[in-house]
Amino acid sequence: MKTVDLIGHGGNEVVVVGERPMPERGAGQVLVRMHAATLNRVDLYMRDSGAGITHTLPQTMGLDGAGVIEAMDEGEPGLHIGQKVLVYPAVTCGVCEFCQSGEEVLCTRMSLLGEHRDGTLSEYIRVPARNLVPMPDSWTFEEAAALGVNHLTAWRMLVSRARLQAGESVLIFGIGGGVSLAGLQLAKAMGARVFVTSTQQDKLDRALALGADGVIHSREQDVVQEVMRLTGKRGVDVVFENVGQAVWDSALRSAVRGGRIVTCGATTGDQPGADLRRVFIRQLQILGSTLGNLEELKALTRFCEQQDLRPLIEKTYALDDIHAALDRLASGQQFGKLAVRIQG
Ligand SMILES: [Zn+2]
């Protein structure tokens, strides 16, 4: 079977499309014929260094994905052969205190597809049965695949961590990337007012078309001043953040007193000034978040199906064009997910 494998670190030449033997399915595991996956920023991190992430090369890339069940044990609840499913990327221990309390995203022995073990950019994968969620029937495999990482991350940030309520306001930094776009789509569907920032006017225009209530050009405008103008000098209830150091100061100064700042990334650096005086005097809540639990993925999938809220796919690449897809991701120019079609 065909796979996209990482054979080293640094440059596109360490990513190769190769042939591997079919995985052998063990008890409790399900064999899935993969149809599509989407790229995530961490794929670039794995390609370029992978530092701090325990893994052995060669390793198949890809965290999210969707496909059709090919083989499984009899009587797995809710699953059957021929079913269209999407993949939950975290394989967890099931016994630690976090797994026991349904917070397996905090599992001390978590292993992620495409980071610590072979991933989804493969014609077939085998995963524990619990890692599969039935996908919305009328969706494409690309759309379903995209729920598993970016939308799940945005869902946990907004719903479980920031506890966003209808009528509240949200500021999203750096619109265009997978998580921020998911944040915009989900926050709007939850009835929030959403403001977004970007350094690119075309991305702001597209965000407006998707329902953003206000846009801020972060190179030509002062973000905090604009937030105050848009909110009647109040500030936003929730700041949704994955840019890091470059915007952290603006994030702290854009939140209303008692507001929540939820962060899931630090692309531009992870050691900004903390401004603790502002944090305690204004009683800000700073919430860390990453990925989400299986139950959150199921709730997200139900919500998206009910609302027919589909992830935005910018472009779909053939498996053999993986280098072009990774280059596009690295360019930062994309607006929406970059998908890879695994079956022709
Ligand atoms: Zn665990």
Side-chain angles (χ1 to χ4, degrees):
M1 63 166 187
K2 233 179 196 185
T3 56
V4 174
D5 289 336
L6 197 60
I7 58 165
H9 296 294
N12 252 342
E13 59 278 7
V14 302
V15 177
V16 298
V17 177
E19 279 287 332
R20 286 224 207 178
M22 285 276 290
E24 282 187 32
R25 186 184 72 84
Q29 294 181 326
V30 176
L31 184 69
V32 183
R33 184 168 191 248
M34 297 301 290
H35 282 250
T38 75
L39 297 185
N40 295 287
R41 187 141 281 281
V42 70
D43 296 317
L44 292 177
Y45 183 77
M46 292 304 293
R47 179 194 70 175
D48 296 339
S49 101
I53 296 176
T54 309
H55 62 291
T56 45
L57 301 177
Q59 180 171 276
T60 303
M61 299 181 73
L63 275 82
D64 60 34
V68 175
I69 293 181
E70 180 92 0
M72 54 179 277
D73 294 339
E74 261 179 56
E76 285 292 357
L79 300 177
H80 59 82
I81 289 173
Q83 188 169 25
K84 290 156 74 175
V85 287
L86 64 99
V87 177
Y88 174 62
V91 179
T92 51
C93 80
V95 296
C96 74
E97 63 170 300
F98 306 106
C99 285
Q100 290 287 320
S101 65
E103 283 275 58
E104 73 267 34
V105 73
L106 300 175
C107 177
T108 49
R109 277 174 283 175
M110 183 202 291
S111 127
L112 288 164
L113 303 180
E115 288 191 39
H116 309 92
R117 55 165 64 211
D118 285 335
T120 53
L121 284 166
S122 177
E123 286 182 307
Y124 292 87
I125 62 165
R126 61 168 175 195
V127 289
R130 81 181 295 273
N131 283 72
L132 299 173
V133 175
M135 65 174 253
D137 233 10
S138 62
W139 285 29
T140 67
F141 288 105
E142 287 82 354
E143 289 165 341
L147 290 184
V149 174
N150 284 169
H151 273 66
L152 175 58
T153 300
W155 176 265
R156 180 171 171 84
M157 288 171 77
L158 292 172
V159 176
S160 313
R161 303 294 282 145
R163 301 192 179 278
L164 179 66
Q165 304 297 313
E168 287 191 318
S169 51
V170 182
L171 172 66
I172 299 179
F173 280 96
I175 203 69
V179 177
S180 359
L181 268 176
L184 168 60
Q185 287 183 305
L186 291 170
K188 281 309 296 176
M190 291 172 201
R193 292 179 70 214
V194 185
F195 310 119
V196 304
T197 81
S198 175
T199 54
Q200 296 170 48
Q201 188 59 44
D202 60 318
K203 291 190 176 181
L204 295 175
D205 293 341
R206 299 184 68 175
L208 280 172
L210 282 175
D213 297 281
V215 298
I216 303 169
H217 195 299
S218 46
R219 198 161 282 153
E220 290 170 7
Q221 292 176 301
D222 181 305
V223 172
V224 180
Q225 249 176 36
E226 280 304 298
V227 168
M228 291 305 156
R229 189 182 64 78
L230 289 162
T231 58
K233 298 187 184 162
R234 176 181 178 273
V236 293
D237 297 292
V238 173
V239 176
F240 181 103
E241 212 296 273
N242 65 359
V243 178
Q245 197 147 339
V247 305
W248 189 248
D249 181 58
S250 306
L252 287 184
R253 290 190 297 126
S254 296
V256 68
R257 289 165 177 267
R260 296 93 84 194
I261 297 155
V262 59
T263 171
C264 76
T267 319
T268 60
D270 60 3
Q271 302 289 330
D275 199 352
L276 290 177
R277 188 172 292 121
R278 174 170 287 269
V279 172
F280 68 72
I281 289 178
R282 294 181 169 250
Q283 306 203 30
L284 302 176
Q285 302 180 56
I286 295 172
L287 305 162
S289 197
T290 187
L291 202 64
N293 294 312
L294 177 66
E295 285 308 316
E296 290 168 323
L297 180 57
K298 289 178 175 171
L300 161 72
T301 305
R302 281 194 299 274
F303 180 83
C304 289
E305 188 167 21
Q306 279 158 10
Q307 305 264 340
D308 200 28
L309 186 163
R310 304 183 186 213
L312 219 65
I313 307 294
E314 185 195 71
K315 188 171 175 186
T316 298
Y317 295 81
L319 192 70
D320 290 320
D321 295 332
I322 185 68
H323 296 120
L326 287 167
D327 283 343
R328 177 72 181 164
L329 181 64
S331 78
Q333 296 298 308
Q334 76 278 8
F335 192 90
K337 295 293 283 175
L338 303 172
V340 178
R341 176 127 284 250
I342 299 168
Q343 309 287 344

